[in-house]
């Protein structure tokens, strides 16, 4: 189900404008945008997310083209730009950001909701699993997987009835917990190999910790204490310490050698704490999986006992009916 389509274009002063048609539950809207407006949207969203344009999960069609005519270029762009916008509005991290709503000129009180995409199998798929091994996941794909896991977690039922809770725990055990473990392992490899600096490592660890806590709240229906430790030294990266010449900053200019040494020791301490947090996330996800497994076994045993009791009651009823017939 596509909520957004680009059916026509117009041209003003040699610039092509794409007519975006938006189908909402109670109304239809339209807005015209040029290609550079799409580029600006990506930059705004990247700024909100704290990532580079190259790390953005949904790609615009290239500015240049191998098409021999402008008409063919415009036709291809209409399809690709429509595909881009539909991907953005399905992403729970992006769909209700101010930049998106401003770009589409949506009503001020409007919000995208999961119900709008119920007919779209991709947006309601609770059976998402990362197929790659941890060492095969690149840094950009890691972020896309994080959003997908968060979206999948959001689709899991949260009602308090027994059936819903059973379904939720089964889906967490099969699809959420293994994915979080795999992202945690990949993140640990990035840190070991110096592929990301300590600041980025801390941000991603924090995101995983929040996702892990949300999983625990869903499974056990209890609040999870969260602790955010922001160190003033996270700007120092493990990578830069080994691959770049150290540079003086406002923080270090006034420090003597002893104070610099203390600061570096603090940097390593902070990094060790982040690694420990990552280890705890992995261990906790395993513990959640084991707990769910034990509870499923206990529930199965209870069901078996219940079935035995039902069978015994049925036998007693049959005996009672037989005695009643003999009496009559």
């Amino acid at each position: 189900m596509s909520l957004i389509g680009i059916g026509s274009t117009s041209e003003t002063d040699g610039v092509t404008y794409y007519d975006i048609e938006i189908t909402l539950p109670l109304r239809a809207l339209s807005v015209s945008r040029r290609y550079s407006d799409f580029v600006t949207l990506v930059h705004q969203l990247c700024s909100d997310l704290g990532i580079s344009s190259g790390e953005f999960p949904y790609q615009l069609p290239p500015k240049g083209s191998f098409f021999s005519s402008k008409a063919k270029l415009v036709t291809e762009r209409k399809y690709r730009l429509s595909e881009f916008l539909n991907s953005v509005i399905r992403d729970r991290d992006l769909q209700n950001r101010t930049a998106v709503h401003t770009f589409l000129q949506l009503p001020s009180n409007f919000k995208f909701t999961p119900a709008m995409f119920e007919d779209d199998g991709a947006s309601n798929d609770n059976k998402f699993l990362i197929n790659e091994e941890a060492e095969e996941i690149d840094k950009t794909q890691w972020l896309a997987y994080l959003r997908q896991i968060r979206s999948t977690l959001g689709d899991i039922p949260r009602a308090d009835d027994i059936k819903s809770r059973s379904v939720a725990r089964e889906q967490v055990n099969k699809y959420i917990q293994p994915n979080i473990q795999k992202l945690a392992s990949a993140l640990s490899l990035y840190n070991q190999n110096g592929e990301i600096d300590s600041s980025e490592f801390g941000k991603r660890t924090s995101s995983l910790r929040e996702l892990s806590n949300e999983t625990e709240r869903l499974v056990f229906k209890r609040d999870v204490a969260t602790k955010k430790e922001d160190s003033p030294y996270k700007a120092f990266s493990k990578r830069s310490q080994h691959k770049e010449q150290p540079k003086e900053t406002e923080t270090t200019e006034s420090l003597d050698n002893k104070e610099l040494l203390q600061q570096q020791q603090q940097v390593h301490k902070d990094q060790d704490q982040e690694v420990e947090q990552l280890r705890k996330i992995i261990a906790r996800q395993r513990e959640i999986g084991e707990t769910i497994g034990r509870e499923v076994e206990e529930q199965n045993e209870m069901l078996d006992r219940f079935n035995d009791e039902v069978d015994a009651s049925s036998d007693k009823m049959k005996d009672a009916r037989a005695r009643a017939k003999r009496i009559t």
Side-chain angles (χ1 to χ4, degrees), residues 172-173 176-178 180-181 208-209 211-213 215-216 279-291:
V172 165
N173 196 37
I176 302 298
Q177 177 258 341
I180 292 178
Q181 283 193 37
L208 271 187
R209 184 166 57 245
L211 198 59
S212 179
N213 290 341
T215 300
E216 189 168 346
R279 186 196 65 77
K280 288 180 179 179
I281 289 172
I282 295 174
R284 186 57 184 152
Q285 289 304 306
R286 288 175 180 165
E287 183 181 339
I288 290 173
E290 292 170 357
T291 301

Side-chain angles (χ1 to χ4, degrees), residues 191-222:
N191 183 59
Q192 292 173 16
N193 298 333
E195 296 180 39
I196 56 177
D197 61 31
S198 59
S199 177
E200 181 66 16
F201 179 65
K203 290 178 183 178
R204 296 195 183 199
T205 300
S206 178
S207 296
L208 271 187
R209 184 166 57 245
E210 291 172 5
L211 198 59
S212 179
N213 290 341
E214 177 63 23
T215 300
E216 189 168 346
R217 281 191 289 268
L218 174 62
V219 170
F220 299 112
K221 299 295 181 182
R222 67 188 181 204

Side-chain angles (χ1 to χ4, degrees), residues 7-268:
S8 60
T9 61
S10 59
E11 190 169 317
T12 303
D13 297 330
V15 177
T16 301
Y17 287 82
Y18 298 87
D19 300 327
I20 304 168
E21 299 169 357
I22 310 155
T23 304
L24 302 180
L26 299 177
R27 69 179 80 178
L29 305 173
S30 63
V31 60
S32 294
R33 296 295 185 194
R34 56 193 295 178
Y35 180 81
S36 60
D37 294 329
F38 285 85
V39 175
T40 300
L41 172 62
V42 171
H43 289 162
Q44 290 173 336
L45 292 174
C46 287
S47 177
D48 287 348
L49 296 171
I51 62 176
S52 66
S53 299
E55 294 176 307
F56 195 69
Y58 312 112
Q59 299 301 310
L60 291 171
K63 188 172 184 179
S65 173
F66 57 85
F67 290 107
S68 57
S69 69
K70 185 174 181 179
K72 290 182 179 180
L73 168 63
V74 170
T75 299
E76 173 67 12
R77 273 192 178 174
K78 283 196 300 183
Y79 171 76
R80 297 281 299 278
L81 292 174
S82 174
E83 190 177 56
F84 166 82
L85 288 176
N86 278 292
S87 296
V88 168
I89 65 172
R90 281 168 171 75
D91 191 314
R92 294 193 177 198
D93 270 358
L94 304 175
Q95 58 186 198
N96 288 314
R97 290 186 179 268
T98 301
V100 174
H101 284 229
T102 300
F103 179 88
L104 297 175
Q105 293 187 354
L106 298 174
S108 58
N109 60 345
F110 175 81
K111 295 288 184 184
F112 285 108
T113 64
M116 295 179 184
F117 309 103
E118 283 182 351
D119 294 334
D120 182 4
S123 67
N124 200 32
D125 183 7
N126 288 329
K127 297 184 178 180
F128 159 73
L129 274 176
I130 299 174
N131 294 320
E132 297 98 320
E133 296 299 324
E135 57 270 18
E136 297 173 338
I137 302 173
D138 63 44
K139 293 179 291 183
T140 302
Q141 190 63 45
W142 192 97
L143 293 170
Y145 281 149
L146 180 70
R147 294 189 187 90
Q148 181 65 51
I149 296 169
R150 189 177 289 135
S151 177
T152 301
L153 185 62
D155 287 334
I156 293 177
R158 281 166 166 72
D160 285 331
D161 60 280
I162 295 176
K163 181 179 179 181
S164 295
R165 293 187 66 178
S166 177
V167 170
R169 293 188 177 197
E170 180 182 0
Q171 291 181 355
V172 165
N173 196 37
K174 286 185 177 180
Y175 306 115
I176 302 298
Q177 177 258 341
N179 286 338
I180 292 178
Q181 283 193 37
K182 192 160 287 188
L183 287 192
S185 298
L187 185 56
S188 179
L189 289 174
Y190 300 156
N191 183 59
Q192 292 173 16
N193 298 333
E195 296 180 39
I196 56 177
D197 61 31
S198 59
S199 177
E200 181 66 16
F201 179 65
K203 290 178 183 178
R204 296 195 183 199
T205 300
S206 178
S207 296
L208 271 187
R209 184 166 57 245
E210 291 172 5
L211 198 59
S212 179
N213 290 341
E214 177 63 23
T215 300
E216 189 168 346
R217 281 191 289 268
L218 174 62
V219 170
F220 299 112
K221 299 295 181 182
R222 67 188 181 204
D223 290 333
V224 181
T226 58
K227 183 178 180 182
K228 185 175 181 181
E229 298 179 356
D230 288 325
S231 167
Y233 309 105
K234 282 187 178 178
F236 289 89
S237 71
K238 182 177 180 181
R239 187 176 185 180
S240 64
Q241 292 167 16
H242 296 286
K243 296 188 178 181
E244 298 177 2
Q245 291 296 324
K247 297 178 181 179
E248 287 286 353
T249 66
E250 292 181 1
T251 307
T252 61
E253 283 178 349
S254 60
L255 302 180
D256 58 28
N257 289 339
K258 182 178 179 181
E259 290 171 330
L260 282 172
L261 177 60
Q262 291 174 343
Q263 189 181 64
Q264 289 300 313
Q265 290 173 340
Q266 182 64 47
V267 170
H268 289 295

